[in-house]
Amino acid sequence: METDIAIIGAGFGGLGAAIRLQRTGFTDFLVFDRGDEVGGTWRDNTYPGCACDVPSHLYSFSFAPNPRWSNTFSSQPEIWDYLRGCVDRFGIRPKLRLRHEVHQARWDDHRQRWLLRTSGGDHTARVLICAAGPLSDPAIPELPGVDEFAGTVFHSARWRHDHDLTGRRVAVVGTGASAVQLVPRIQPLVEKLTLFQRTPAWIMPRRSRRISRAEQAVFRAVPGAQRAVRAGLYLVREGMGLGFLYPAVNSFASRLSLRTLRRQVADPHLRDKLTPRYAMGCKRVLISNDYWPSLAQPNVDVVTAGIDRMVPDGLVTANGVHHPADTVIFGTGFHVTDSPVVRRIQGQGGRTLGEAWTPSMHAYRGTTINGFPNLFFLLGPNTGLGHTSVVLMIEAQLRLVVAALRHMRTTDVQAIEPTVEAQRRWTERVDQKMAGTVWETGCDSWYLDSTGRNTTIWPGFATSFRMRLLRFRPADYRVATAGTTPNETEREHADAV
């Protein structure tokens, strides 16, 4: 089946792309997703306590405000409802191809088309937009003995709602964002909770509150009021970015976090285990009011020794201690810098995106990649944020995508890709901006790839990224018109980028 534009993923990125395309006159597109409903991360993560750590009015599309948010920080069910509502609000459901997992997307130089092989059939497309998302494929450590474990094992992103935790001995592996949310919810239910912590997290108070019906009524009646709230939140959050760019600025926040820890955890031994010893912001800063208090409960143990292996009735740490458990929950994050989708996308000469991004990811303006014509990658390299909403970044990228498509349409260009030089300049600029930021202070985090390079976070304000993507720059791209194919000579040097 032929379509002009194929979109992989039906989360914030994919749905935003579909809506933006339709509103700007590009109506020949299809959205492919492996799930049976839209939502991406917010469909898949249904663990107890799952919620967003970015304010609701900012964690939403600028073109689709939601006056019905019930809390200043929304829960997973409410965000999922919002995304499903956007599908119906903008009439894009007929464009969805759910239960269509993309097994391969291959660029055909002769036809100048992307050839897609999906679980629901084959398709061709002139343009491919990858919006699979960085938090879509769970990362599960390969522990010796996992096959011998007699109990139940699952990842927080694949929650087993059929498995009652009441009265069980539960081991939670990992202390990231999902663990910080789910641990306080399950702690009162279980007989014993053992938390395996590699590195303690910096945690700030969660300043959330319910949004009253009166406020919701004002937002419905006066849309400008909600836009004003969003603008205010945007400015406040941009200000928070200073602490990531200039680590010394975070001293006040660090003191507040440690003061909260002292107030919530009386046991000095446990408090020492939970005290971070790296610069705030080097790893993801978490927000919670009840995580630390839950760890101080008598049925909880925090284990800092590394896990050596799993045995039929629990886990054994490197110091030889056996920790009984009948349920193991991995809160170990996702494949961010090594997402499986990059091994399924083949560009010029059959080279996969995974090969092009080994050992490090590179993309021009985080969106287009040399050697991969007509591919636009949403939330690509160095487009993540530590201080505000990634939806802002997605919308900036979508403006660039639409500008590129308009340029192609008006100039009869069949295919575009960034030049080696443009991609190199961008990468060097990003790396230069990264110097001196909190991510360069020496801690090990999922922001870094195997080379130690930060390939995930944008080293600046959301505003600066959005400004840099305002215009499509034809001079930075190589083009192919009808009946031509791109010159291969330049691409031979792309590995140097």
Side-chain angles (χ1 to χ4, degrees), residues 128-361:
L128 179 64
I129 299 175
C130 183
L135 306 182
S136 55
D137 291 282
I140 300 177
E142 296 180 1
L143 295 177
V146 64
D147 294 333
E148 302 173 13
F149 185 64
T152 301
V153 181
F154 55 91
H155 192 278
S156 60
R158 302 292 184 265
W159 194 265
R160 286 282 304 274
H161 291 279
D162 61 334
H163 183 67
D164 187 5
L165 296 179
T166 304
R168 295 189 180 274
R169 296 173 300 173
V170 178
V172 175
V173 181
T175 54
S178 59
V180 164
Q181 293 180 343
L182 71 89
V183 163
R185 294 296 186 94
I186 68 173
Q187 175 270 319
L189 303 176
V190 305
E191 175 187 320
K192 181 70 175 181
L193 192 153
T194 306
L195 178 69
F196 291 86
Q197 171 189 275
R198 184 175 62 180
T199 310
W202 283 104
I203 298 176
M204 295 294 290
R206 188 180 184 87
R207 310 289 190 188
S208 64
R209 65 171 181 82
R210 291 197 61 80
I211 299 175
S212 68
R213 291 185 178 181
E215 289 174 284
Q216 293 173 349
V218 170
F219 293 148
R220 286 194 300 269
V222 187
Q226 190 169 13
R227 287 195 295 270
V229 171
R230 179 185 174 94
L233 289 170
Y234 177 83
L235 293 174
V236 169
R237 285 277 166 161
E238 284 287 78
M240 292 170 63
L242 285 169
F244 295 87
L245 303 179
Y246 308 100
V249 176
N250 269 340
S251 59
F252 173 77
S254 301
R255 291 195 298 272
L256 173 61
S257 178
L258 294 176
R259 186 164 62 246
T260 303
L261 175 59
R262 288 193 297 271
R263 187 174 68 250
Q264 294 182 344
V265 177
D267 180 359
H269 179 63
L270 175 58
R271 193 166 61 237
D272 184 65
K273 287 183 180 181
L274 300 176
T275 301
R277 290 174 174 83
Y278 55 91
M280 174 180 274
C282 188
K283 291 176 178 285
R284 184 174 175 180
V285 179
L286 307 178
I287 60 172
S288 177
N289 297 327
D290 50 11
Y291 175 66
W292 281 332
S294 72
L295 301 183
Q297 300 306 308
N299 67 332
V300 178
D301 278 340
V302 176
V303 177
T304 57
I307 300 172
D308 180 67
R309 66 188 185 278
M310 295 179 68
V311 292
D313 61 345
L315 300 92
V316 177
T317 46
N319 57 5
V321 178
H322 173 253
H323 301 273
D326 55 53
T327 303
V328 176
I329 302 171
F330 288 107
T332 44
F334 299 84
H335 290 281
V336 177
T337 59
D338 60 343
S339 173
V341 72
V342 303
R343 297 192 292 272
R344 302 180 183 186
I345 299 176
Q346 293 182 329
Q348 292 265 347
R351 189 188 194 197
T352 69
L353 187 54
E355 291 170 333
W357 280 355
T358 300
S360 202
M361 301 189 296

Side-chain angles (χ1 to χ4, degrees), residues 109 112 408 411-416 478-486:
D109 234 350
Q112 294 187 347
M408 294 170 69
T411 57
D412 196 29
V413 167
Q414 296 298 308
I416 65 167
R478 300 179 59 255
V479 303
T481 55
T484 67
T485 56

